[in-house]
């Protein structure tokens, strides 16, 4: 069943035509990845779906409901959460306070249960519960950003460059967590420059090139494509 459907959206930054009529869908229970070079429009696409940017034309539906015109904070209560590029944690707040901010759309009586779920999935965050978030390591900050997004119990979790700036061993840990989330029933839309890692865990993939989808298909097929390997995998 199609959970998210993006239909022929066009997005502009002033006079710059950043997204040029892309269409794709994410089915319930999938990991779908968008890969492409810097500037291809990956983050712009996620920010548009999340309501942070407004498309000039096209349609976005979630569970059959039209999302266009809906405020970003309302989309969270509809079941969508974005873990943004660069983490964007609240640097001066504690780990716990950051997580509580992520749960603002949930009834107050459910916050403690959501916190416990996040701490169970990210034991490091439990250890750092009272620590100021800006003093965490890069990997811990990424875990916090993902945990904050999970506090809203999303049906669709959108991850924007979760491995950016992390050491290889931490990249593996983050991707293990993404797989665990998927196995637990979360549908995931993943934007990632580490195409090899993204394609290795995804069900389906879309390749973006300067605002257009240039290829799509089963992730394993995309991974084995010669053009993709030369462009993104160094082979």
């Amino acid at each position: 069943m199609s959970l998210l459907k993006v239909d022929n959206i066009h997005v502009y930054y002033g006079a710059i035509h950043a997204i040029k009529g892309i269409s794709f869908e994410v089915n319930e229970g999938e990991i779908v990845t968008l890969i492409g070079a810097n500037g291809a429009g990956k983050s712009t696409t996620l920010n548009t779906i999340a309501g942070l940017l407004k498309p000039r034309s096209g349609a976005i539906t979630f569970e059959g409901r039209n999302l266009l015109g809906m405020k970003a904070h309302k989309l969270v209560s509809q079941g969508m959460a974005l873990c943004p590029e660069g983490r964007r944690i609240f640097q001066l707040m504690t780990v716990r306070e950051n997580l509580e901010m992520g749960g603002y759309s949930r009834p107050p009586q459910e916050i403690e249960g959501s916190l416990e779920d996040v701490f169970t999935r990210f034991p490091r965050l439990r250890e750092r519960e009272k620590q100021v978030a800006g003093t965490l390591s890069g990997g811990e900050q990424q875990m916090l950003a993902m945990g904050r997004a999970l506090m809203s119990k999303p049906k669709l979790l959108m991850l924007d460059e979760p491995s950016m700036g992390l050491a290889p061993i931490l990249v593996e840990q983050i991707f293990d967590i993404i797989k665990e989330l998927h196995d637990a029933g979360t549908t995931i839309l993943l934007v990632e420059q580490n195409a090899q890692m993204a394609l290795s865990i995804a069900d389906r993939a879309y390749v973006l090139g300067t605002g257009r989808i240039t290829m799509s298909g089963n992730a394993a097929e995309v991974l084995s494509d010669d053009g993709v390997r030369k462009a993104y995998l160094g082979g």
Side-chain angles (χ1 to χ4, degrees):
M1 171 189 158
S2 180
L3 187 64
L4 173 75
K5 193 166 187 178
V6 175
D7 186 21
N8 196 33
I9 61 167
H10 290 260
V11 183
Y12 289 76
Y13 291 109
I16 299 170
H17 195 178
I19 301 295
K20 303 166 183 172
I22 70 170
S23 300
F24 66 92
E25 63 182 352
V26 180
N27 297 314
E28 195 170 340
E30 286 188 312
I31 298 179
V32 171
T33 187
L34 305 179
I35 64 170
N38 273 335
K42 306 185 301 297
S43 293
T44 298
T45 299
L46 284 198
N47 287 334
T48 303
I49 296 167
L52 300 172
L53 294 171
K54 186 176 179 182
R56 191 170 293 184
S57 60
I60 302 172
T61 55
F62 183 68
E63 294 188 314
R65 296 187 298 273
N66 179 19
L67 299 186
L68 293 190
M70 198 177 289
K71 300 290 187 184
H73 69 280
K74 292 288 187 185
L75 294 177
V76 176
S77 60
Q78 295 292 317
M80 297 171 59
L82 172 65
C83 182
E85 181 182 4
R87 296 150 202 156
R88 311 251 182 111
I89 59 168
F90 301 106
Q91 299 273 337
L92 300 180
M93 290 183 177
T94 66
V95 166
R96 184 186 179 93
E97 288 167 342
N98 267 269
L99 294 174
E100 288 173 342
M101 290 293 286
Y104 74 89
S105 65
R106 300 192 63 72
Q109 65 271 21
E110 295 180 10
I111 296 294
E112 282 301 322
S114 295
L115 276 168
E116 186 57 35
D117 289 345
V118 170
F119 285 146
T120 298
R121 191 163 298 285
F122 300 98
R124 188 74 60 84
L125 296 184
R126 190 192 298 275
E127 296 169 11
R128 306 280 194 271
E129 180 180 354
K130 296 179 181 177
Q131 189 169 325
V132 174
T135 64
L136 298 175
S137 70
E140 290 166 347
Q141 289 189 17
Q142 184 60 54
M143 291 176 192
L144 178 56
M146 291 172 69
R148 184 180 60 187
L150 290 171
M151 284 291 294
S152 65
K153 299 285 188 185
K155 298 171 188 173
L156 175 66
L157 176 62
M158 296 183 286
L159 299 170
D160 194 355
E161 303 284 8
S163 77
M164 181 180 285
L166 299 183
I169 190 167
L170 290 174
V171 172
E172 289 189 17
Q173 286 181 21
I174 292 298
F175 273 85
D176 284 343
I177 291 167
I178 294 170
K179 286 188 284 187
E180 288 170 11
L181 292 170
H182 176 243
D183 291 342
T186 305
T187 303
I188 294 169
L189 177 57
L190 170 65
V191 157
E192 179 55 61
Q193 241 189 320
N194 188 330
Q196 178 83 44
M197 292 291 284
L199 291 169
S200 71
I201 66 167
D203 297 296
R204 293 187 303 109
Y206 295 86
V207 181
L208 263 66
T210 52
R212 291 187 172 89
I213 289 175
T214 58
M215 183 182 180
S216 64
N218 177 284
E221 294 169 359
V222 174
L223 182 59
S224 64
D225 181 82
D226 286 343
V228 170
R229 295 194 71 81
K230 287 175 184 174
Y232 306 110
L233 306 175

